[in-house]
Amino acid sequence: MRNRISIPLAVGLAASLAGFSQQALASGYTQTRYPIVLAHGMLGFDSILGIDYWYGIPSALRRDGARVYITEVSQLDTSEARGEQLLRQVEEIAAISGKGKVNLIGHSHGGPTARYVAAVRPDLIASVTSVGAPHKGSKTADFLRQIPEGSGGEAVLAGIVNGLGGLINFLSGSSSTSPQNSLGSLESLNSAGAERFNAKFPQGIPTSACGEGAYQVRGVRYYSWGGTKPLTNILDVSDVLLGASSVPFGFEANDGLVGRCSSHLGMVIRDNYRMNHLDEVNQTFGLTSLFETSPVSVYRQHANRLKNAGL
């Protein structure tokens, strides 16, 4: 009978656990000084048919005190154009929250997008954190850029991708009316485009090939992390696509779309999580590696890091 628990004891245990749970909720583990603002990547969205881009992450952050806002910009456009769209939302959030500043977290193309906002309006930004962002370009984008400019092949591919971007924009109920610009995205995310962008907005960019960048520039803190395993869960069908998109990287460690060193910005928290590009936002449906820290936990830990830094 050792496995049975008496009713009074069970009630007492439940009450104790409930008390512990309430205490944990009151701990403010993720309660940052400034709101956390999430910025999606290329072909991203806030929510489609009840499925969040940042799968399970906002609720986990809010549960322990964080104030979280989810933004949506053009699915496909240049870093500067997306940055201007994000800036308008950041201005509104900073005013509504009454805090005056925000902590920006950008995934993939959301990284350069967030960097643009911090560069042009550092007074609004407490920190920028990039997750799996191609700050020095993506070899997958370099491979696609080999299609001759102005060719029929380029026009067909651009039309297909623009159509996909438009569909995502429609299904997500986005208020953005900007035309989809897949070629603008491609120019921003290949190595040459990234180099041009970095020349204009160098804040936090490492000066060495695979080093760290400045931790703080004009009052803005810079952080980054990324993954290096394109294939992480046999049940996740998206792993097949990321396995294919990783081919141009050869033997370079990558997450399927972004190389390990290209993900570096400011303070590099870690650049070799056992995660692929979608695992970094806990997709698809949380089917991530069983042998790595949950992506949700990584975001919670970072929110606590920001809190401890007074951000």
Side-chain angles (χ1 to χ4, degrees):
M1 310 302 291
R2 285 177 291 179
N3 293 329
R4 298 185 62 183
I5 299 176
S6 67
I7 291 177
L9 180 57
V11 171
L13 179 59
S16 297
L17 289 174
F20 176 79
S21 177
Q22 291 297 322
Q23 187 177 24
L25 288 173
S27 69
Y29 181 76
T30 62
Q31 191 170 355
T32 55
R33 177 181 179 185
Y34 301 107
I36 292 174
V37 175
L38 303 176
H40 66 73
M42 185 179 72
L43 295 176
F45 50 90
D46 53 359
S47 180
I48 290 181
L49 303 177
I51 301 169
D52 295 334
Y53 179 90
W54 306 86
Y55 193 73
I57 294 167
S59 58
L61 293 174
R62 290 171 179 143
R63 193 158 47 241
D64 284 334
R67 182 178 292 186
V68 182
Y69 295 85
I70 303 167
T71 60
E72 185 170 10
V73 299
S74 292
Q75 282 70 33
L76 298 162
D77 215 328
T78 64
S79 299
E80 291 91 339
R82 296 173 97 249
E84 280 295 320
Q85 295 171 35
L86 179 59
L87 173 57
R88 290 192 290 271
Q89 295 172 66
V90 166
E91 289 173 336
E92 185 176 353
I93 292 167
I96 290 173
S97 68
K99 296 297 183 179
K101 291 186 178 184
V102 304
N103 291 300
L104 277 176
I105 299 180
H107 173 243
S108 189
H109 199 181
T113 304
R115 284 173 50 206
Y116 174 87
V117 177
V120 300
R121 287 297 306 274
D123 58 303
L124 293 175
I125 310 301
S127 70
V128 169
T129 302
S130 78
V131 181
H135 297 297
K136 294 191 176 180
S138 165
K139 288 189 176 179
T140 305
D142 291 344
F143 174 77
L144 293 173
R145 187 59 279 174
Q146 293 179 41
I147 300 173
E149 292 188 48
S151 67
E154 181 189 67
V156 170
L157 181 60
I160 293 172
V161 178
N162 284 336
L164 178 58
L167 178 62
I168 292 172
N169 184 277
F170 172 75
L171 292 177
S172 67
S174 174
S175 59
S176 174
T177 57
S178 299
Q180 301 297 321
N181 181 9
S182 59
L183 294 180
S185 289
L186 183 60
E187 289 305 318
S188 289
L189 298 175
N190 63 37
S191 299
E195 185 175 2
R196 290 191 295 269
F197 184 80
N198 293 342
K200 291 189 287 185
F201 310 108
Q203 294 88 340
I205 292 295
T207 55
S208 60
C210 202
E212 292 187 301
Y215 290 1
Q216 182 168 314
V217 183
R218 299 176 67 187
V220 180
R221 301 278 187 95
Y222 288 88
Y223 304 90
S224 61
W225 76 74
T228 53
K229 295 292 180 183
L231 305 175
T232 58
N233 192 310
I234 194 171
L235 299 177
D236 189 348
V237 294
S238 68
D239 278 28
V240 176
L241 298 175
L242 289 168
S245 63
S246 72
V247 171
F249 288 89
F251 294 104
E252 179 186 351
N254 67 91
D255 67 3
L257 286 172
V258 178
R260 171 175 166 258
C261 296
S262 186
S263 72
H264 287 198
L265 179 76
M267 178 186 293
V268 179
I269 295 164
R270 185 175 164 188
D271 64 1
N272 64 345
Y273 281 106
R274 187 181 289 270
M275 297 180 190
N276 63 34
H277 201 65
L278 293 182
D279 292 342
E280 292 159 357
V281 288
N282 201 36
Q283 291 287 355
T284 306
F285 305 115
L287 291 174
T288 58
S289 174
L290 298 176
F291 306 101
E292 182 56 271
T293 304
S294 162
V296 174
S297 295
V298 175
Y299 282 87
R300 281 173 41 79
Q301 291 164 4
H302 187 56
N304 183 253
R305 181 180 295 110
L306 296 176
K307 173 189 174 181
N308 292 336
L311 304 174

